[in-house]
Amino acid sequence: MKELATAGAPFVAFVGAGASAIPPSCLPTWTQFNDLLLECLCERLAEYSSNRQPTDAMLSLLRARRDKTHFFPPDFQAQLIEEEVGLDYFRVWQSLETDSHGPAHSGLAELASRSQLAAIITTNFDRLIESALRLRGVQFEVFHDTQSFECLAAMAEGVADRIPVIKIHGSIEDPASLVDTLRQRVAGRPEPLLQAIRALLRQHPWLYLGFSGADFSYDPHYLGILDAADDAKGFVFLTREGRSPHEGVRRLAEAYGSGKAQIVQGNLVTWLTETFELHEEAQPPSVGTSVTGQP
């Protein structure tokens, strides 16, 4: 970790839902948003059944099937809803948007202003990274859909005057770009995006923060990161204090080897500031809640 913090070459930050879940944003994670959907569904079913089906009982059953048996995962639920209501499902996410970014976003913005970041990749739908970069005066360009990913590959291979913000699951202002259903996950991401990711893996070390790594357990070949182990520069993976990493993360670290992979524990609220000796930044006033992408 010390090498990453002191090296002159920039690195890639891979940002997950945890960065937006901590105060002052306090956003719902993917599972928490799914909880809200299940509660609304159970309340509506109770209403239509004249309360013959108690809300709490139905909610407990659905959560158990989701969490214990994995019979009813959030992405499958999202697919069923999307098949019924179409793009309106994704527009629901927009009701949760805010620009009240948190300490992880501020830290990344300061690192970007110091030219220590080659790119920011995020699973999140929200625009809190963009808000922090804009407040810091950092020039950036967002890539969030198939059309913009076509331009990203060339940018990732060369030197750009703007930091790329790569939103691999879409961005909240464009509901059609959001990736949340099982069908979308099975289909995978566009090849130009994967090509850009391969280039960034070869050229720069990566830092994972606010990211559970569950995607590597769900799909070991997620984004081609495991497959690039031989050619990649390596990574540091930040996990929450007192929590063991997912099995998929451990397998990823084994594939990269101890010389190129490091798993560390820390408090996301303070970790960037302490590790990179950053400055505290005054936060804009909170304007409600926002939303994150898949964990």
Side-chain angles (χ1 to χ4, degrees):
M1 186 62 246
K2 183 180 296 184
E3 291 78 5
L4 189 63
T6 58
F11 60 90
V12 172
F14 190 104
V15 187
S20 297
I22 57 180
S25 310
C26 300
L27 321 185
T29 64
W30 192 42
T31 302
Q32 289 168 343
F33 182 75
N34 181 249
D35 280 336
L36 295 175
L37 291 178
L38 289 179
E39 288 174 14
C40 291
L41 174 62
C42 290
E43 288 173 359
R44 186 59 58 89
L45 288 173
E47 177 183 343
Y48 276 111
S49 66
S50 300
N51 293 315
R52 289 193 301 272
Q53 299 292 332
T55 299
D56 291 344
M58 287 190 292
L59 185 57
S60 296
L61 175 62
L62 291 174
R63 282 176 172 167
R65 290 190 173 186
R66 181 193 68 189
D67 300 334
K68 297 179 181 179
T69 68
H70 306 290
F71 178 74
F72 199 43
D75 52 4
F76 180 52
Q77 296 178 44
Q79 180 174 317
L80 294 177
I81 298 172
E82 187 269 340
E83 288 174 353
E84 290 295 323
V85 303
L87 200 59
D88 284 343
Y89 167 72
F90 296 105
R91 293 193 180 101
V92 172
W93 292 89
Q94 293 181 308
S95 66
L96 304 174
E97 189 177 16
T98 184
D99 60 359
S100 182
H101 61 267
H105 309 105
S106 297
L108 291 170
E110 182 172 345
L111 288 170
S113 72
R114 297 179 179 183
S115 299
Q116 288 184 258
L117 292 185
I120 300 174
I121 301 175
T122 182
T123 60
N124 297 347
F125 302 154
D126 64 61
R127 293 185 281 185
L128 300 184
I129 291 172
E130 296 96 300
S131 174
L133 292 172
R134 194 174 294 112
L135 188 64
R136 179 70 64 170
V138 176
Q139 298 296 311
F140 64 92
E141 184 171 352
V142 175
F143 301 86
H144 75 284
D145 60 4
T146 302
Q147 183 176 354
S148 62
F149 293 152
E150 294 283 352
C151 306
L152 174 62
M155 186 176 183
E157 290 282 1
V159 178
D161 58 354
R162 302 175 308 281
I163 183 170
V165 177
I166 306 168
K167 309 183 78 168
I168 58 177
H169 293 154
S171 193
I172 196 67
E173 75 275 13
D174 180 9
S177 73
L178 302 186
V179 175
D180 192 46
T181 70
L182 178 61
R183 182 188 297 109
Q184 291 171 317
R185 289 169 68 93
V186 171
R189 307 308 296 129
E191 179 56 32
L193 170 61
L194 299 179
Q195 179 182 342
I197 288 175
R198 287 193 293 268
L200 291 170
L201 285 165
R202 290 194 305 268
Q203 295 171 3
H204 306 282
W206 284 32
L207 169 64
Y208 296 88
L209 70 162
F211 179 62
S212 71
D215 288 288
F216 293 122
S217 297
Y218 186 92
D219 175 12
H221 301 282
Y222 178 65
L223 299 176
I225 295 171
L226 175 65
D227 304 307
D230 291 340
D231 299 324
K233 290 288 187 181
F235 67 83
V236 172
F237 195 103
L238 177 66
T239 64
R240 190 180 303 176
E241 291 175 319
R243 175 174 295 185
S244 299
H246 277 273
E247 178 61 28
V249 176
R250 290 194 291 269
R251 289 197 300 264
L252 184 68
E254 290 173 0
Y256 272 65
S258 59
K260 294 202 301 183
Q262 185 179 5
I263 300 175
V264 299
Q265 291 191 349
N267 184 337
L268 187 55
V269 174
T270 59
W271 190 84
L272 282 176
T273 298
E274 294 172 350
T275 301
F276 294 94
E277 299 181 353
L278 305 180
H279 301 96
E280 296 291 340
E281 179 192 58
Q283 296 296 318
S286 177
V287 198
T289 54
S290 181
V291 63
T292 64
Q294 297 173 10

